[in-house]
């Protein structure tokens, strides 16, 4: 079932939440719907970038927004809403990965997954251009999938979501110098992965 604000609210209501549910204030559906509308694509694309296969991305999307709904009262506004949601996403992805490992399942390689629908801004491009873009997305996801979680997260935030060093540091509870050093290492690791991919195709890096 495709995730929608309505389906998530219904699923939320059906769960037996014993963690102080009676003290959580009611969140108006319009408010939750706006949060979902503003951030659903952000969550989906970054779930994929963090290694979730396309076949499971909708499940992760639903779980993230169930947590957002449940913990909405905890959001104090000191950090951007999107940063708060990204933190939830990282935890959900980790739990998702552990579930796969417990079941001795293996995620399908990201380069074998179908890329999500091309964003609206590319809708005016030709079929050939859209195919090229989809192929670049698949390659990027495949290369990111070969990095460890920390490096992948840093590259997603810095290079793809274009967060500043300060924003990343605040999100990670670190300082900008440390983030800068870790980001340089992540970029080197990505470049090495890319070079190996080129070499495997017989291309000179």
């Amino acid at each position: 079932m495709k995730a929608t604000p309505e389906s998530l609210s219904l699923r939320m209501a059906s769960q037996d939440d014993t963690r102080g549910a009676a003290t959580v204030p009611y969140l108006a559906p319009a408010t939750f719907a706006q949060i979902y509308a503003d951030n659903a694509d952000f969550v989906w694309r970054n779930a994929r970038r963090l290694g979730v296969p396309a076949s499971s991305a909708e499940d992760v999307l639903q779980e993230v927004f169930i947590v957002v709904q449940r913990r909405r009262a905890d959001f104090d506004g000191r950090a951007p809403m999107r940063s708060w949601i990204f933190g939830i996403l990282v935890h959900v992805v980790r739990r998702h990965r552990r579930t796969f490992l417990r079941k001795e399942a293996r995620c399908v390689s990201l380069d074998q997954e179908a890329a999500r629908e091309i964003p609206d801004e590319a809708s005016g491009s030709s079929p050939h251009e859209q195919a090229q873009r989809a192929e670049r997305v698949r390659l990027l996801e495949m290369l990111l999938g070969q990095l460890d979680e920390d490096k992948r997260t840093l590259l997603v935030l810095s290079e793809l979501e274009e967060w500043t060093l300060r924003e990343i540091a605040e999100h990670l509870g670190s300082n900008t110098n440390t983030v800068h050093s870790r980001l340089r290492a992540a970029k080197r690791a990505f470049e090495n992965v890319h070079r190996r991919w080129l070499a495997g195709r017989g291309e000179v890096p």
Side-chain angles (χ1 to χ4, degrees):
M1 177 178 66
K2 185 173 179 61
T4 64
E6 292 76 18
S7 68
L8 290 172
S9 294
L10 287 173
R11 181 175 166 190
M12 175 79 179
S14 68
Q15 293 182 333
D16 179 18
D17 185 7
T18 60
R19 295 174 295 174
T23 64
V24 177
Y26 173 72
L27 178 64
T31 302
F32 177 65
Q34 188 60 54
I35 294 171
Y36 182 91
D38 290 345
N39 295 283
D41 285 343
F42 169 81
V43 170
W44 201 100
R45 69 175 178 263
N46 284 304
R48 295 285 288 122
R49 291 166 174 173
L50 293 174
V52 175
S55 57
S56 300
E58 289 292 345
D59 290 338
V60 169
L61 178 68
Q62 287 207 32
E63 188 171 349
V64 166
F65 280 100
I66 286 171
V67 176
V68 168
Q69 171 89 322
R70 180 181 294 129
R71 293 179 51 195
R72 179 68 178 89
D74 297 337
F75 178 67
D76 58 14
R78 287 185 294 180
M81 170 69 73
R82 187 157 285 191
S83 176
W84 180 67
I85 291 175
F86 189 86
I88 293 172
L89 170 63
V90 169
H91 287 293
V92 170
V93 169
R94 286 174 183 166
R95 186 163 59 247
H96 175 84
R97 188 176 296 117
R98 287 197 297 269
T99 299
F100 264 70
L101 291 175
R102 283 198 301 270
K103 293 180 178 179
E104 298 183 348
R106 183 172 65 85
C107 294
V108 177
S109 298
L110 289 175
D111 58 334
Q112 296 176 2
E113 292 282 354
R116 201 182 194 194
E117 183 178 341
I118 302 300
D120 290 340
E121 61 267 21
S123 59
S125 57
S126 69
H128 177 68
E129 291 170 334
Q130 292 183 21
Q132 286 184 321
R133 176 181 172 83
E135 184 58 34
R136 288 195 299 269
V137 169
R138 284 192 289 269
L139 174 59
L140 174 62
E141 290 172 345
M142 183 271 291
L143 295 176
L144 286 172
Q146 297 182 40
L147 302 177
D148 64 51
E149 181 179 316
D150 289 341
K151 291 183 176 62
R152 186 164 58 231
T153 298
L154 282 169
L155 288 174
V156 166
L157 293 178
S158 174
E159 302 303 309
L160 302 178
E161 293 300 328
E162 299 183 341
W163 288 20
T164 66
L165 287 177
R166 182 175 180 179
E167 289 171 332
I168 297 172
E170 290 176 351
H171 173 75
L172 298 176
S174 183
N175 60 70
T176 55
N177 288 335
T178 299
V179 169
H180 179 68
S181 177
R182 290 170 58 191
L183 184 57
R184 287 180 61 189
K187 289 179 179 179
R188 286 196 299 269
F190 184 85
E191 290 168 358
N192 289 336
V193 167
H194 189 212
R195 279 197 294 268
R196 289 197 298 269
W197 178 80
L198 289 173
R201 292 166 54 91
E203 300 180 24
V204 178

